[in-house]
Amino acid sequence: VNEEAKKLINGGDYDQSVIGSADHETRQLVGAELLSAIVGRSATRRDNARAAFIKHGYFDDATRDLRIADSPNERAAAARRLSFVQDREATPHLIGALGDPSPDVRRAAIEALMDLRDPAASGPLNSLMQTENDRKVPRSLIKHAIEACATAAPGEVPSDAVPSHAPEAIADPASHPIETEREVIEL
């Protein structure tokens, strides 16, 4: 598994039956290798790992775990995995997790949304600000997440998440300023 993951991450030919295996333990090992590369320093390795994470269903695994895993720790870990991948397709799933009964899961979802900086999360985060009362989920964290989402343009993605093959218009959101409405709640 390690060898095949290294080949994939380094951009070489790899055994897709290993990386895309249905075996739970194999998927855990491969997923850990992919996430390690995704948070690494090499942009090429990050891009290869991110693409494989999505192509081989690890993104779908994380969204499923976020919704239905029995343990709050597993659901929170799924939110963190989605954060590392930096794909705004995760936003609706993370917004759904804002209603999780576990404060640890809600906190992980807030942190992931803050990292994604998706303006679509501003409204749900504002709503959570009004209702959240667990001290494990501080209002200051929610406020920081709202600010992060409000300052990102709708098409903008964090700079380290822009694939190297992205067109310039996407890679440089400042070249096309976009007006956004901000929903702000006074504390």
Side-chain angles (χ1 to χ4, degrees):
V1 170
N2 253 351
E3 288 300 314
E4 295 306 315
K6 285 179 183 176
K7 290 177 190 175
L8 178 157
I9 291 166
N10 289 319
D13 291 333
Y14 62 93
D15 186 343
Q16 292 195 25
S17 68
V18 171
I19 301 301
S21 174
D23 178 67
H24 181 70
E25 287 80 22
T26 301
R27 289 189 73 73
Q28 283 185 317
L29 292 171
V30 171
E33 291 290 330
L34 294 176
L35 288 172
S36 178
I38 287 170
V39 299
R41 293 182 182 201
S42 167
T44 302
R45 291 169 53 93
R46 274 195 315 264
D47 290 346
N48 291 341
R50 187 177 291 118
F53 193 87
I54 293 168
K55 175 183 177 182
H56 293 287
Y58 293 91
F59 182 90
D60 296 333
D61 292 349
T63 60
R64 183 196 63 238
D65 291 348
L66 181 61
R67 286 189 325 273
I68 65 170
D70 292 332
S71 159
N73 288 338
E74 289 178 73
R75 295 192 306 274
R80 287 195 246 352
R81 290 194 314 265
L82 292 172
S83 170
F84 295 148
V85 178
Q86 294 289 307
D87 188 321
R88 287 197 175 163
E89 293 293 320
T91 299
H93 303 283
L94 293 165
I95 288 171
L98 295 176
D100 194 279
S102 168
D104 294 328
V105 176
R106 293 192 305 274
R107 182 184 180 111
I110 292 165
E111 291 168 344
L113 288 167
M114 184 169 32
D115 289 345
L116 289 176
R117 298 180 56 195
D118 189 340
S122 294
L125 286 166
N126 271 313
S127 295
L128 182 64
M129 176 80 92
Q130 300 302 307
T131 60
E132 183 61 59
N133 56 13
D134 194 296
R135 60 188 174 101
K136 288 185 176 181
V137 186
R139 293 172 64 81
S140 60
L141 177 67
I142 301 169
K143 183 179 179 191
H144 288 306
I146 292 168
E147 290 168 357
C149 292
T151 59
E156 179 184 350
V157 292
S159 60
D160 64 347
V162 176
S164 57
H165 61 279
E168 287 304 310
I170 294 172
D172 183 13
S175 66
H176 302 300
I178 299 171
E179 294 292 323
T180 60
E181 289 184 29
R182 293 210 277 173
E183 186 174 353
V184 179
I185 295 177
E186 295 295 323
L187 296 177

